[in-house]
């Protein structure tokens, strides 16, 4: 298996390398790809130095799989060119997610939809992945009517430049700004750009991607996405109204039985999910499960996950593993 990581010098690319190594992904050759700025730079994988190459050089090498995390415009331009030489692209940007001809995949939920003809596969947005992971098993049983979600998103969700902004602010250094305001000691209700409807693009991803992954356009979703000064791990307060009534003990059982979910919910021991502890782990952590007393059939939950892991790199690698295990590549 010849695999390329496009965006290997970035935050997500770096975690992809870790995840491939940890999972002992079946690799014959690994191509590390970034912008022209980084060509020739050395990155260590399994104790061996690998030189970063350019995208055209990687296409010439015709990899079986290309894991993309290099932004939307790079993906729009280059993913089809990889696909033309027979490479299957799994893309982390928002470029293809809402394209009706492309699958938007969280392996635990809908990998079974994939076929050999899917040459560009979209990885959902980080905040969407953790939300649908926690909601998919409940949707099957109780059918979701409406979701009200507020996110508390870490700076690593924005990329290298934002992590540097926060580190500079903490140490009192001047530097480039990834956000329009300081993030240290702040909360910025502005993730990604604003759209004409007053919502941000990040908020609309939570609406549109959730409907696509759960394959149900009737689910109503309203979102507020907020950037907070945490280094890694997104948190979400989710209020979900179902068509059918539920039993909290059964909700716990359903979530417990779902691969990739860990319940942390014991009030006596102050056990609940937090980004500091989810950081570096692959699971989606769920807690603060409680009935919303203000209206029928409604549940409150608190969901935390590492945005660079299950929100990006781990999900991408899981898709690649599914393709290999099912001879789709
Ligand atoms: N951070 C997250 O939690 C997260 C979660 C889900 C999805 N994503 C998505 O994943 C992508 C990368 O995010 P990130 O956080 O890793 O960003 P990042 O740290 O800023 O890294 C960006 C990567 O893209 C490469 N790149 C930029 N322009 C390129 C070009 N023209 N040609 C080839 N490579 C190019 C960069 O290479 P150089 O080093 O050479 O510039 C770098 O390797 C984005 O689309 C983002 O939306 C991020």
């Amino acid at each position: 298996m010849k695999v390329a990581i496009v965006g290997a010098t970035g935050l997500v690319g770096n975690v992809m390398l870790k995840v491939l190594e940890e999972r002992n992904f079946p690799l014959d050759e690994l191509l590390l790809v970034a912008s022209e700025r980084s060509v020739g730079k050395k990155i260590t994988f399994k104790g061996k130095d690998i030189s970063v190459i350019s995208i055209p050089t990687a296409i010439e090498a015709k990899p079986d799989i290309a894991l993309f995390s290099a932004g939307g415009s790079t993906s729009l331009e280059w993913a089809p060119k990889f696909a033309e030489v027979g490479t299957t692209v799994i893309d982390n940007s928002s470029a293809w997610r809402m394209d009706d001809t492309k699958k938007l995949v969280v392996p635990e939920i809908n990998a079974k939809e994939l076929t050999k003809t899917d040459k560009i596969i979209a990885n959902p947005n980080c905040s969407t992945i953790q939300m649908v992971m926690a909601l998919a098993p409940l949707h099957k049983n109780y059918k979701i009517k409406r979701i009200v979600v507020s996110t508390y998103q870490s700076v690593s969700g924005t990329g290298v430049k934002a992590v540097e902004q926060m580190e500079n602010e903490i140490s009192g250094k001047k530097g480039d700004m990834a956000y329009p305001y300081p993030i240290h000691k702040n909360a910025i209700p502005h993730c990604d750009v604003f759209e004409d409807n007053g919502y941000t693009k990040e908020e609309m991803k939570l609406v549109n991607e959730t409907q696509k992954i759960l394959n149900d356009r009737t689910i109503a979703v309203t979102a507020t996405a907020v950037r907070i000064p945490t280094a890694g791990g997104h948190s979400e307060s989710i209020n979900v109204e179902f068509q059918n009534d539920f039993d909290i003990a059964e909700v716990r059982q359903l979530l417990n039985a779902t691969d990739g979910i860990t319940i942390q919910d014991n009030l006596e021991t102050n056990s609940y999910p937090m980004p500091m502890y989810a950081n570096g782990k692959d699971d989606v952590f769920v807690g603060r499960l409680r009935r919303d007393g203000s209206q029928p059939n409604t549940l409150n939950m608190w969901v935390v996950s590492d945005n660079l892991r299950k929100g990006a790199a781990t999900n991408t690698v899981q898709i690649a593993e599914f393709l290999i295990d099912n001879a789709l590549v």
Side-chain angles (χ1 to χ4, degrees):
M1 193 56 51
K2 195 189 278 187
V3 175
I5 299 183
V6 181
T9 52
L11 284 186
V12 175
N14 193 272
V15 179
M16 278 179 184
L17 283 162
K18 271 193 212 152
V19 173
L20 288 176
E21 185 163 357
E22 281 168 15
R23 297 172 80 95
N24 215 7
F25 188 92
L27 274 177
D28 299 308
E29 193 178 345
L30 182 63
L31 308 172
L32 301 182
V33 190
S35 76
E36 297 291 344
R37 295 179 289 275
S38 303
V39 170
K41 221 172 154 181
K42 299 267 190 291
I43 297 179
T44 310
F45 179 72
K46 289 194 174 175
K48 225 179 96 192
D49 280 351
I50 302 178
S51 287
V52 172
I53 57 172
S54 68
I55 292 185
T57 311
I59 294 175
E60 272 172 37
K62 298 187 180 168
D64 301 291
I65 297 176
L67 310 176
F68 259 66
S69 66
S73 56
T74 307
S75 184
L76 279 176
E77 182 180 355
W78 294 102
K81 297 194 169 108
F82 274 95
E84 269 169 31
V85 299
T87 304
T88 302
V89 172
I90 308 169
D91 180 46
N92 260 282
S93 79
S94 55
W96 308 100
R97 290 179 189 149
M98 295 315 296
D99 181 326
D100 283 339
T101 65
K102 308 285 182 288
K103 312 260 167 76
L104 184 62
V105 176
V106 177
E108 292 86 345
I109 301 173
N110 60 351
K112 288 201 172 77
E113 293 172 14
L114 291 170
T115 67
K116 252 189 162 159
T117 59
D118 292 312
K119 286 293 174 198
I120 300 177
I121 299 162
N123 197 75
N125 181 44
C126 40
S127 38
T128 309
I129 293 179
Q130 66 183 72
M131 182 165 88
V132 293
M133 278 288 290
L135 292 181
L138 307 182
H139 181 52
K140 257 194 205 150
N141 263 51
Y142 313 118
K143 200 156 179 7
I144 297 170
K145 214 164 140 184
R146 179 169 186 253
I147 301 164
V148 182
V149 55
S150 299
T151 71
Y152 305 66
Q153 301 187 206
S154 71
V155 294
S156 67
T158 314
V160 171
K161 209 175 150 198
V163 175
E164 284 170 1
Q165 178 183 332
M166 188 168 84
E167 282 169 358
N168 284 340
E169 286 167 5
I170 292 170
S171 61
K173 267 201 276 174
K174 277 217 174 330
D176 288 347
M177 300 277 281
Y179 304 116
Y181 295 98
I183 183 65
H184 179 47
K185 298 185 179 174
N186 202 5
I188 308 176
H190 177 182
C191 299
D192 211 329
V193 296
F194 284 108
E195 298 200 336
D196 290 344
N197 62 5
Y199 286 82
T200 59
K201 218 171 150 188
E202 184 83 1
E203 289 161 351
M204 293 315 295
K205 287 174 198 167
L206 280 154
V207 178
N208 299 323
E209 294 180 20
T210 298
Q211 293 175 343
K212 181 164 173 177
I213 298 161
L214 297 181
N215 193 23
D216 188 341
R217 310 272 164 178
T218 69
I219 296 174
V221 186
T222 185
T224 302
V226 181
R227 192 71 60 189
I228 60 163
T230 44
H234 291 349
S235 306
E236 294 177 343
S237 160
I238 301 174
N239 178 271
V240 52
E241 181 186 3
F242 298 103
Q243 285 189 7
N244 306 313
D245 198 10
F246 58 86
D247 175 71
I248 287 276
E250 193 184 54
V251 164
R252 278 177 207 282
Q253 269 171 20
L254 289 168
L255 291 171
N256 245 332
T258 304
D259 275 351
I261 298 268
T262 297
I263 298 190
Q264 280 184 326
D265 196 23
N266 186 340
L267 304 188
E268 279 166 21
T269 57
N270 291 337
S271 168
Y272 32 71
M274 285 179 280
M276 184 179 265
Y277 301 105
N279 204 15
K281 303 200 175 82
D282 284 320
D283 268 11
V284 172
F285 296 87
V286 181
R288 301 295 321 276
L289 285 162
R290 63 215 191 275
R291 191 175 278 281
D292 174 353
S294 71
Q295 65 171 11
N297 304 353
T298 306
L299 178 74
N300 278 310
M301 64 208 301
W302 177 249
V303 176
V304 179
S305 190
D306 184 332
N307 47 293
L308 294 173
R309 288 230 164 210
K310 184 59 184 166
T314 303
N315 200 69
T316 309
V317 172
Q318 286 174 323
I319 295 172
E321 287 171 344
F322 183 90
L323 295 174
I324 294 170
D325 292 348
N326 292 279
L328 299 176
V329 73

